[in-house]
Amino acid sequence: MSNDDAAAPTAEEASGDTHLLGFSDEILLHILSHVPSTDLVLNVRHTCRKLSALCLDKSLVHTVLLQKDYQASEDKVKQLVKEIGREIQQLNMAGCYWLSGSTIEHVARCHSLVKVNLSGCHLTSLRLSKVLSALQHLRSLAIDVSPGFDASQLSSECKATLSRVQELKQTLFTPSYGVVPCCASLQKLLLYFEILDRTREGAVLSGQLMVGQSNVPHYQNLRVFYARLAPGYINQEVVRLYLAVLSDRTPENLHAFLISVPGSFAESGATKNLLDSMARNVALDALQLPKSWLNGPTLLQHMKFNNPFYFSFSRCTLSGGHLIQRLINGGKDLRSLASLNLSGCVHCLSADSLLRKAEDDIDSSILETLVESCCNLHHLNLSAAHHHSSDGLGRHLCQLLARLCHLRSLSLPVCSVADSAPRPDRAPAPPAMHAVPRGFGKKVRIGVQTCPNPFLGQSAPQPASVFWCLLKKLPYLEHLELIGSNFSSAMPRNEPAIRNSLPPCSRAQNVGDSEVAAIGQLTFLRHLTLAQLPGMLTGSGLVSIGLQCQQLQSLSLANLGMMGKVVYMPALADMLKHCKRLKDLRLEQPYFNANAQFFQALSQCSTLQRLCLVSRSGTLQPDAVLDFMGRCLHVVVCHMFTGESLITCKNLQQALLRR
């Protein structure tokens, strides 16, 4: 546009101010897409005519996400369905436990629904039947199957809807087929087994309760089968019945077969037949099997893969030689592989000998071959094993992994990022500045700079460190786990609990504050886990992470520094005041004192929603907890497992409920 044709600037433009409504519709729609659906439709829409039209744009009302929207009350959800129910095609209400069953019934008014997730909602057999009977276009469903579920109560209209469902996610809290027998058109079946071995009354459950309940048809259209089991014998018994159906006649279109089982899961005749049939008749894109099923080197030799994108060999005993021979040298193209899980595979980076000791070095040629063949990996898990690098130049694990420039998620054992030998250019670590004082030491004040500058001295990221160089090559990493190879949580989620934990690896002593500070390079980091780092002296590296990783949403810290001495508390307090987007904090540390200083620092995380504190022989101050909960109004989960008495805990719980 020429200067002659240019319009005179308005007063707002002349003053340099730009009104929000001056943006284009595309930009405004992008901004509005980050507003919760209830707030968008019930509040923002009534501000002006332009926003009223934009808030009802199909791109915004097509998908409604109520999951973790804790401000979505009963009345708001009912009004939302009334306003835009006919426009909603995808609805996610997973975990909306606060909504009553009568409110869930309003989903039946969304007649255009194609995909709905009702996991964690209050649903009975009759209520589910009523809702599904009205959803004739439904193709994807996620529900819970709780005790008392009765498939005979499902109406014919409901079963007709289920017969058209192509994707089903089902969480089982009781031995049952659920709605699986009604879904004859399934292409994707996701099963989560959360069945307890005993009822609340103490009666022992049996998987044989399922026998004779229904005929499960042969799912010849099934493409994806996924099963995740919680610990317990009953879950294994129930999943065997599902697998027995597949073993009779394996679907020819099966592309992904994934089973996640904690602990051991012995093979049966049916499972062996299923694996043999899969090896003969299908070409897989994704594979995950229990570790005992993969311990034989012949299974992978006969499996056929077609452009695989996901492999999980977690906790198996296959050596690196077998992995390379079966997956790479077998003529298979792994450039399509996006995710590789080798967690707990202690031999996967060593030669064929299974007599490897924990202190032995890895075979860098195996890792180099793996990196070159899987050059497009987005997710890599090498945790729960000792991976020690030799002194060879350019052969360190971190130097080889730096070639995987597409990585977005990485999980490593602490000992794997240690330099293979002490470097002459690095001075010995000075004594901890925040060690536990002897006698009557001066208390640390919150709000006063107590940690050394994270960019100065020993705590600064060292450019010569192999870990620093690795993270510099992976600037877009979003998920990082640095976990001690011998670490075991005191309260694991989907693994059997282990009482006697092993001491940290000796090489992990060389990973300290400077390596933790190097994580601050990851500007886009969203999820971080640090566990069993005995070499952490002051925790000053945490401050670097808080300052620079402004996208951090989930933080998990466990067993940092010397056991029995929580010396990183001042640094953690300084870190938390910078974590403006933190939603989830999990802290597992023995002898941790959850005092007023800790909760005062945590109160500055205004977006925090979940807090889990696990501390053997730890303490807490109830008044500090009450004050914290009064400040952080978005917190919906507060789990604290400490050494306090049961009376103290009950009194605190009652005080919170009264508020």
Side-chain angles (χ1 to χ4, degrees):
M1 178 181 292
S2 65
N3 291 333
D4 295 336
D5 297 332
T10 63
E12 287 184 352
E13 292 172 341
S15 63
D17 295 333
T18 302
H19 195 277
L20 176 66
L21 297 181
F23 290 124
S24 66
D25 289 353
E26 290 78 8
I27 295 178
L28 288 174
L29 286 174
H30 179 73
I31 295 174
L32 294 174
S33 66
H34 295 277
V35 180
S37 299
T38 51
D39 196 21
L40 187 74
V41 175
L42 304 182
N43 296 324
V44 180
R45 185 167 68 93
H46 299 294
T47 56
C48 67
R49 291 183 179 180
K50 184 171 184 177
L51 289 181
S52 177
L54 289 177
C55 288
L56 295 182
D57 188 85
K58 288 185 178 181
S59 63
L60 298 180
V61 299
H62 174 275
T63 300
V64 172
L65 304 178
L66 298 179
Q67 183 184 22
K68 295 185 179 180
D69 184 3
Y70 301 107
Q71 305 302 319
S73 63
E74 302 260 358
D75 294 335
K76 287 183 178 180
V77 173
K78 294 177 182 178
Q79 187 65 23
L80 178 71
V81 172
K82 181 180 179 181
E83 296 280 349
I84 62 170
R86 294 184 178 274
E87 307 296 330
I88 303 175
Q89 295 187 23
Q90 297 187 27
L91 176 61
N92 189 344
M93 301 180 69
C96 292
Y97 56 87
W98 61 89
L99 298 179
S100 64
S102 59
T103 301
I104 302 299
E105 288 185 4
H106 282 68
V107 175
R109 299 183 179 184
C110 305
H111 299 294
S112 300
L113 272 181
V114 176
K115 182 176 183 179
V116 62
N117 189 333
L118 299 175
S119 300
C121 297
H122 298 286
L123 276 177
T124 62
S125 306
L126 292 175
R127 184 166 287 125
L128 176 66
S129 178
K130 181 179 180 179
V131 171
L132 296 186
S133 297
L135 306 180
Q136 299 181 5
H137 303 285
L138 194 66
R139 296 296 180 270
S140 178
L141 174 66
I143 59 170
D144 292 347
V145 178
S146 303
F149 180 86
D150 186 0
S152 64
Q153 296 180 345
L154 302 180
S155 66
S156 57
E157 293 83 1
C158 173
K159 292 180 180 179
T161 297
L162 290 171
S163 67
R164 295 185 290 267
V165 168
Q166 299 175 355
E167 177 180 336
L168 175 64
K169 176 186 175 184
Q170 194 168 253
T171 304
L172 298 171
F173 293 97
T174 186
S176 171
Y177 283 127
V179 299
V180 171
C182 304
C183 305
S185 301
L186 277 183
Q187 296 183 14
K188 187 175 183 180
L189 178 58
L190 310 176
L191 300 170
Y192 294 78
F193 295 87
E194 299 283 348
I195 311 170
L196 299 177
D197 289 340
R198 294 176 179 270
T199 63
R200 291 185 177 182
E201 293 75 21
V204 179
L205 288 176
S206 171
Q208 298 303 317
L209 294 175
M210 295 183 59
V211 174
Q213 284 188 359
S214 62
N215 288 346
V216 178
H218 300 293
Y219 300 110
Q220 294 311 302
N221 296 323
L222 197 64
R223 298 174 59 87
V224 176
F225 179 85
Y226 173 80
R228 191 191 74 183
L229 282 67
Y233 175 77
I234 188 66
N235 290 309
Q236 297 185 11
E237 288 299 305
V238 175
V239 78
R240 289 184 193 276
L241 296 173
Y242 281 88
L243 295 177
V245 176
L246 294 176
S247 65
D248 291 341
R249 185 180 175 186
T250 305
E252 297 178 357
N253 295 323
L254 192 65
H255 284 191
F257 187 78
L258 310 156
I259 299 181
S260 175
V261 181
S264 60
F265 185 29
E267 283 188 281
S268 63
T271 55
K272 291 180 179 179
N273 293 337
L274 175 60
L275 295 178
D276 291 340
S277 177
M278 289 170 53
R280 293 192 307 267
N281 302 320
V282 300
L284 296 174
D285 295 331
L287 177 66
Q288 178 176 355
L289 296 176
K291 62 179 182 179
S292 57
W293 299 10
L294 283 168
N295 288 341
T298 59
L299 176 62
L300 293 179
Q301 182 178 6
H302 296 98
M303 282 289 183
K304 296 187 288 291
F305 301 104
N306 178 31
N307 296 324
F309 64 88
Y310 176 85
F311 280 151
S312 178
F313 304 111
S314 178
R315 303 187 186 278
C316 73
T317 58
L318 289 174
S319 66
H322 280 132
L323 285 176
I324 299 300
Q325 179 182 358
R326 307 306 179 197
L327 296 180
I328 297 177
N329 297 336
K332 301 173 180 64
D333 182 7
L334 290 186
R335 287 179 295 179
S336 61
L337 195 66
S339 180
L340 178 61
N341 185 357
L342 296 173
S343 173
C345 298
V346 295
H347 309 292
C348 66
L349 298 182
S350 61
D352 289 336
S353 175
L354 298 181
L355 301 178
R356 176 181 181 270
K357 298 180 181 179
E359 60 270 15
D360 293 343
D361 293 337
I362 63 173
D363 188 338
S364 57
S365 62
I366 292 178
L367 179 59
E368 187 171 12
T369 304
L370 198 63
V371 168
E372 291 177 353
S373 303
C374 311
C375 55
N376 293 319
L377 276 179
H378 282 67
H379 312 280
L380 177 62
N381 190 340
L382 292 173
S383 62
H386 296 268
H387 296 316
H388 301 161
S389 301
S390 59
D391 296 334
L393 183 63
R395 312 292 285 180
H396 195 281
L397 178 139
C398 291
Q399 294 170 325
L400 295 175
L401 293 184
R403 303 178 187 177
L404 299 173
C405 56
H406 300 288
L407 278 180
R408 297 296 181 268
S409 173
L410 179 62
S411 183
L412 294 174
V414 175
C415 56
S416 70
V417 306
D419 290 314
S420 52
R423 299 194 310 276
D425 63 324
R426 187 172 182 180
M433 297 184 62
H434 298 290
V436 176
R438 298 179 179 179
F440 295 93
K442 184 178 180 180
K443 294 184 178 180
V444 180
R445 292 177 57 197
I446 294 296
V448 179
Q449 181 66 28
T450 55
C451 297
N453 190 318
F455 305 104
L456 299 175
Q458 182 265 343
S459 62
Q462 299 290 334
S465 165
V466 290
F467 186 55
W468 188 92
C469 296
L470 169 64
L471 299 185
K472 183 177 178 62
K473 295 289 186 179
L474 306 175
Y476 300 109
L477 206 65
E478 298 179 0
H479 193 136
L480 176 64
E481 292 182 348
L482 200 59
I483 304 175
S485 48
N486 289 334
F487 174 75
S488 58
S489 174
M491 300 189 68
R493 172 63 182 91
N494 279 317
E495 294 291 336
I498 301 175
R499 288 184 175 273
N500 298 321
S501 58
L502 298 175
C505 176
S506 58
R507 290 207 184 190
Q509 300 285 349
N510 299 325
V511 180
D513 297 315
S514 61
E515 283 76 17
V516 174
I519 300 175
Q521 301 177 88
L522 304 177
T523 309
F524 299 97
L525 190 67
R526 294 177 179 270
H527 309 278
L528 175 63
T529 298
L530 299 174
Q532 201 180 43
L533 275 77
M536 179 180 288
L537 299 179
T538 66
S540 56
L542 296 174
V543 185
S544 299
I545 298 174
L547 285 170
Q548 301 176 81
C549 302
Q550 288 297 301
Q551 303 299 322
L552 192 64
Q553 297 180 6
S554 175
L555 176 64
S556 179
L557 305 176
N559 294 10
L560 303 183
M562 297 177 59
M563 294 296 291
K565 294 184 178 181
V566 187
V567 297
Y568 62 90
M569 181 57 210
L572 178 61
D574 281 345
M575 174 194 186
L576 290 175
K577 69 182 181 182
H578 300 294
C579 298
K580 300 304 181 183
R581 290 181 173 86
L582 190 65
K583 296 182 178 180
D584 194 335
L585 174 63
R586 188 182 194 277
L587 186 58
E588 181 174 339
Q589 187 78 35
Y591 305 101
F592 187 84
N593 182 15
N595 54 21
Q597 294 178 339
F598 168 72
F599 283 108
Q600 181 180 346
L602 191 59
S603 298
Q604 300 182 64
C605 302
S606 57
T607 59
L608 193 69
Q609 295 181 355
R610 294 173 179 269
L611 171 65
C612 180
L613 176 62
V614 180
S615 180
R616 177 174 52 85
S617 302
T619 59
L620 63 85
Q621 294 182 4
D623 292 340
V625 178
L626 292 172
D627 183 63
F628 159 72
M629 293 295 289
R631 295 186 180 206
C632 293
L633 302 179
H634 296 291
V635 175
V636 293
V637 175
C638 185
H639 288 167
M640 290 179 287
F641 304 92
T642 65
E644 293 291 348
S645 65
L646 184 60
I647 295 178
T648 301
C649 295
K650 286 186 175 180
N651 290 338
L652 176 58
Q653 184 181 38
Q654 292 299 322
L656 288 171
L657 291 176
R658 284 195 298 269
R659 285 195 171 190

